Each structure stands twice: as C-alpha cells, then as structure tokens.
Amino acid sequence: MTWRQATREEIYAYYAEEFPRYLDDLPEFITANGPKQYAIAFRESHPVRKDEVPAKDFIRRDTWQTDPSGDRTTSEFNDFEDVVDFIRHPARNDPLGRSEFALADPEVLKEPDPRPDAVYYALDHWERPWVLLVDIDAKEIARDRADEMVSADVDSRDDDALRDAAGILDAAPEGYPYAFEDVDRAIEYGFELRDIFEDDFDAEETMVVYSGQGVHVYLLDSDPAHRYDEQSREVLNDLLLETYDIPIDPVVTADRRRVARLPYSLHADVCSIVQPIESPAFDVRSATPEVIDE
C-alpha cells in the first residue's frame, strides 16, 4: 500500500479531479462561510507580497470580514466553489486579495505555485456552537506502547529514542513515528469514544473521521446540554483520560482557536483521504486516492 508523501502533481490532481466528487458529502456545518476560518499548510514556505514579512508555510483566512464590534459585514467566499478555488491555487485566489500580507503571485516569482500539504477548517463557527472534536493520534498511542515495551535505560523524554528502541520506526510504515497497528488502535479507540458519547452523554449526532494518522471524533448535538464551554471541555478531557482511559489530545478539545483537517481533504504526508468512517474495521488502504501512483 502507498504510505508516503504525495508529489506536487498528485496533490494538484487530487484537488482538481477527485475532491469535487466529495463536496456533496461534506458535513452540513462545513459551508463556505460557516466555519470562521479556513487554513492551508504548505510543504515549502511561500513569500507574501510585503518584502519584510517572512514567507509562510501555514495561513489562516477568515470567512467573513467584520466591523470593529466583531459583527459580520462581507463574506470572503460566496459559495464552496470559492473555497475549492482557494485550496487549488492559494496564492492566485488568496482572500486577502492585493493586501501586502497576501501570498505573493507566483507568476511574478521564481517560486512555484504553492500546493496544499493539508487543508483545515476552524472549529469555531458562525452559525452553531463551537464544534466539539476529540483527537486520537496514532503517534501518541505508539509512544505509550513504546514506553511500556522499553527498559528504563532509554531516555523516556526522547520520544524518537523510545520508538526506535521498541522497533516502531522500523515497522511498516517504515520511518513514521507509529506502526499500522497503532493507526488501527486509534480507529478502535475512536469508535469506543463514539459509544461513550452516545451511551453515557446521550448524544444523538456523532461522527468518526479517519484523519490520516488517527481519528477525530465529533459530538455534534447543538442543543444546550451539549454546548460545551471551555470549563466543561476541561472536565470532559479529564473524564476521557482518567475515567474512560481514552488516549486523547486534550489541547484539541479545549482550544477554541484549533483547526481540524477538512473532511475529504488529502493528508499529503501519507497519501490518504481524510474521511468519515462507519466501522472500526475500516481499512486504511481504501483511503488512497485514485490519482496516487501505487
């Protein structure tokens, strides 16, 4: 199976040919101007128009212009096709337009047109409560597994040394900070967490999304009982970690500024499509795009 970085050509082909097929399958709250921001990460930093400003390898763009009081005034994206155009050609279609802080036009540079190594949307939202997402990462599962396997003479503060001593870096997929079994375990944890949300938190609307190197688990009920504020999310983190023993990243749950990988975007570091999944038996090999040359 393919588990490598996608090439520039493959990234462009995915967003030009395959990604549009999934637009009707996007969760209903992911619209052109519902999330407060979209964000793109680049493999190579790209310059901005203003000379003194450092080149960017990660950019956030607001979906609305606002007035001094924070009220919405003008939408930056008229429809989701505008978001897709921004993803395909971030410099050419930068919502900042001709601002000196916009990405520089590649037509006047020696640098090539930037390609999205990852695409994100903001969990903070204009039309609904702050989206509740819990992140379970195969890297952390592998790190904990290595800590249990390796003798005390290995520096437990050095994650790479631990994983190397446990043989994880040599296991398939070679060179990544986890093994496929850790990805599979992350998926299993994701469905355990979905059951917790539904059985113990009375959630009616949940979603498990394969993120490329783990899972994102959503609790999407928007009624008052599920409108988790910062304090409630800290309590939720403690419950999941200490009572339910689910290896989550607590920062993701509790930070309102977080962004999440856009469903059906390409995780270009592993050539996988980020996507909602329905079963812990999900085969990660099925997430390889058609445009990827095996």
Side-chain angles (χ1 to χ4, degrees), residues 127-204:
E127 305 294 347
R128 58 174 294 133
W130 173 16
V131 177
L132 177 59
L133 176 151
V134 177
D135 180 43
I136 303 175
D137 195 324
K139 295 190 293 293
E140 295 308 312
I141 292 173
R143 199 269 179 211
D144 292 344
R145 182 164 65 89
D147 198 24
E148 295 176 357
M149 295 171 59
V150 175
S151 63
D153 59 346
V154 175
D155 186 355
S156 62
R157 295 169 299 179
D158 187 334
D159 290 354
D160 285 343
L162 272 175
R163 293 185 180 101
D164 189 35
I168 290 172
L169 299 184
D170 293 328
E174 292 82 358
Y176 286 84
Y178 49 78
F180 281 127
E181 67 180 271
D182 301 305
V183 180
D184 291 339
R185 187 66 184 110
I187 293 172
E188 292 170 0
Y189 274 125
F191 283 93
E192 290 176 25
L193 178 52
R194 185 194 67 174
D195 291 343
I196 291 168
F197 280 162
E198 294 177 352
D199 297 339
D200 296 357
F201 290 77
D202 295 324
E204 296 183 357

Side-chain angles (χ1 to χ4, degrees), residues 15-289:
Y15 286 109
E17 300 170 20
E18 280 189 67
F19 182 65
R21 303 179 204 166
Y22 298 115
L23 297 184
D24 290 340
D25 298 325
L26 284 169
E28 55 84 23
F29 61 90
I30 299 180
T31 61
N33 46 33
K36 291 190 175 180
Q37 293 180 326
Y38 282 97
I40 295 179
F42 306 122
R43 195 170 297 167
E44 303 292 337
S45 297
H46 189 80
V48 299
R49 291 175 182 270
K50 188 174 177 63
D51 291 338
E52 297 82 4
V53 177
K56 304 295 184 182
D57 62 6
F58 180 81
I59 58 170
R60 292 174 179 257
R61 294 295 183 259
D62 294 339
T63 57
W64 285 86
Q65 296 177 20
T66 56
D67 62 22
S69 63
D71 293 329
R72 288 175 282 177
T73 56
T74 306
S75 175
E76 295 288 5
F77 301 105
N78 293 322
D79 53 40
F80 208 82
E81 283 301 321
D82 289 343
V83 179
V84 175
D85 288 342
F86 172 53
I87 292 169
R88 287 176 181 158
H89 298 287
R92 199 178 306 166
N93 299 299
D94 192 334
L96 292 183
R98 300 192 64 81
S99 161
E100 60 185 3
F101 296 104
L103 295 174
D105 187 340
E107 293 185 4
V108 301
L109 300 172
K110 293 181 180 179
E111 287 82 356
D113 193 8
R115 296 282 185 249
D117 214 43
V119 179
Y120 305 91
Y121 73 97
L123 296 176
D124 206 4
H125 203 279
W126 285 111
E127 305 294 347
R128 58 174 294 133
W130 173 16
V131 177
L132 177 59
L133 176 151
V134 177
D135 180 43
I136 303 175
D137 195 324
K139 295 190 293 293
E140 295 308 312
I141 292 173
R143 199 269 179 211
D144 292 344
R145 182 164 65 89
D147 198 24
E148 295 176 357
M149 295 171 59
V150 175
S151 63
D153 59 346
V154 175
D155 186 355
S156 62
R157 295 169 299 179
D158 187 334
D159 290 354
D160 285 343
L162 272 175
R163 293 185 180 101
D164 189 35
I168 290 172
L169 299 184
D170 293 328
E174 292 82 358
Y176 286 84
Y178 49 78
F180 281 127
E181 67 180 271
D182 301 305
V183 180
D184 291 339
R185 187 66 184 110
I187 293 172
E188 292 170 0
Y189 274 125
F191 283 93
E192 290 176 25
L193 178 52
R194 185 194 67 174
D195 291 343
I196 291 168
F197 280 162
E198 294 177 352
D199 297 339
D200 296 357
F201 290 77
D202 295 324
E204 296 183 357
E205 188 178 0
T206 60
M207 182 170 64
V208 180
V209 173
Y210 167 62
S211 64
Q213 297 183 118
V215 291
H216 296 154
V217 186
Y218 290 79
L219 195 165
L220 294 168
D221 293 40
S222 58
D223 60 274
H226 294 100
R227 293 185 180 184
Y228 288 90
D229 59 14
E230 292 183 15
Q231 185 176 4
S232 300
R233 289 165 186 254
E234 294 288 359
V235 173
L236 176 63
N237 278 338
D238 291 342
L239 279 172
L240 296 181
L241 287 165
E242 298 171 12
T243 302
Y244 293 101
D245 202 26
I246 303 290
I248 68 170
D249 181 345
V251 176
V252 173
T253 313
D255 183 359
R256 197 177 194 108
R257 286 278 296 166
R258 297 296 292 201
V259 294
R261 287 184 182 271
L262 179 68
Y264 303 106
S265 65
L266 178 66
H267 192 311
D269 286 342
V270 296
C271 291
S272 280
I273 302 172
V274 176
Q275 59 189 279
I277 59 177
E278 300 297 331
S279 166
F282 175 74
D283 183 356
V284 299
R285 290 173 294 185
S286 68
T288 303

